[in-house]
Amino acid sequence: MPIITSCTNKNTEHRQAGFGLIEVALVLIVVSLLGATGWYALRSKDRTDKILNGAAAESDQTKAAAQGGIKYRVNLPTDLKTQIQTFYNNFKSTCAIVAPGPVVFDVLKNVKDQQIQVKETCGGVGGSHIYVLQSGKLVDAAISSGTYACTDVDQYKISSQLASNCYVSNLDGSQTLRTNTNP
């Protein structure tokens, strides 16, 4: 008699317990995607915060300029700051009559605490002044809406760093005050 063997599939008899390789790989991919998304979101937030903080700082500077005041782009000793404040206060009272609006003193250059260049605006209009220290007091030595008068530059010995339009460069690199007093 022929022997008949069972044709049942042995794979169905042994079922796996737990996760297989594919399931583990899918979980790792999902966790990696969530982590990468979180990292990107945090990085984007940091960049956005930096941009917004920079914009807020610029806005504060713009507001300060619109409201008026003194901006120091160079260092000055306290006694010179006090004198600049006095000039500012006097200028501000004149501006209220002449050209109402924000009054801004922008202290641009300082040559050895002896000569100071200040851009002064009154209601958006103005020019540049050079103050020269004489006997401990700042003197308004030159006024310009574009270039300085070379006679003022000569009289107060104003540095070429502040009034370059009044100086001629020599071949040896030195500078000489123009003999022609017109810029």
Side-chain angles (χ1 to χ4, degrees), residues 15 19 26 45 71 78 81 107 117 121 123 129 164 173 181:
R15 296 195 176 236
F19 290 107
L26 285 174
K45 182 187 178 309
K71 290 191 260 178
T78 306
K81 282 185 176 183
V107 182
Q117 183 180 29
T121 56
H129 288 239
S164 59
T181 58

Side-chain angles (χ1 to χ4, degrees), residues 133-145:
L133 191 65
Q134 291 185 338
S135 303
K137 298 264 185 205
L138 286 175
V139 175
D140 194 354
I143 302 170
S144 166
S145 59

Side-chain angles (χ1 to χ4, degrees), residues 2-147:
I3 301 179
I4 299 177
T5 58
S6 171
C7 293
T8 61
N9 188 353
K10 292 184 180 180
N11 289 340
T12 57
E13 292 176 7
H14 292 81
R15 296 195 176 236
Q16 287 183 328
F19 290 107
L21 184 60
I22 293 175
E23 288 88 358
V24 170
L26 285 174
V27 168
L28 286 175
I29 289 171
V30 169
V31 168
S32 297
L33 285 173
L34 288 173
T37 302
W39 173 80
Y40 180 76
L42 279 174
R43 192 168 144 227
S44 294
K45 182 187 178 309
D46 289 343
R47 286 184 178 172
T48 302
D49 288 346
K50 285 179 184 176
I51 290 168
L52 291 175
N53 289 339
E58 277 185 31
S59 176
D60 290 344
Q61 289 175 355
T62 304
K63 285 179 190 173
Q67 294 169 353
I70 302 174
K71 290 191 260 178
Y72 292 96
R73 298 184 189 269
V74 293
N75 292 324
L76 288 180
T78 306
D79 61 323
L80 295 182
K81 282 185 176 183
T82 302
Q83 292 183 54
I84 292 289
Q85 182 68 51
T86 302
F87 282 116
Y88 172 81
N89 293 340
N90 293 338
F91 188 69
K92 189 174 181 177
S93 61
T94 304
C95 279
I97 299 166
V98 178
V103 178
V104 178
F105 265 35
D106 198 358
V107 182
L108 302 172
K109 294 182 182 176
N110 175 7
V111 179
K112 300 178 185 174
D113 294 337
Q114 298 294 313
Q115 300 176 358
I116 300 163
Q117 183 180 29
V118 179
K119 180 180 177 189
E120 302 173 359
T121 56
C122 177
V125 179
S128 186
H129 288 239
I130 295 177
Y131 295 98
V132 175
L133 191 65
Q134 291 185 338
S135 303
K137 298 264 185 205
L138 286 175
V139 175
D140 194 354
I143 302 170
S144 166
S145 59
T147 56

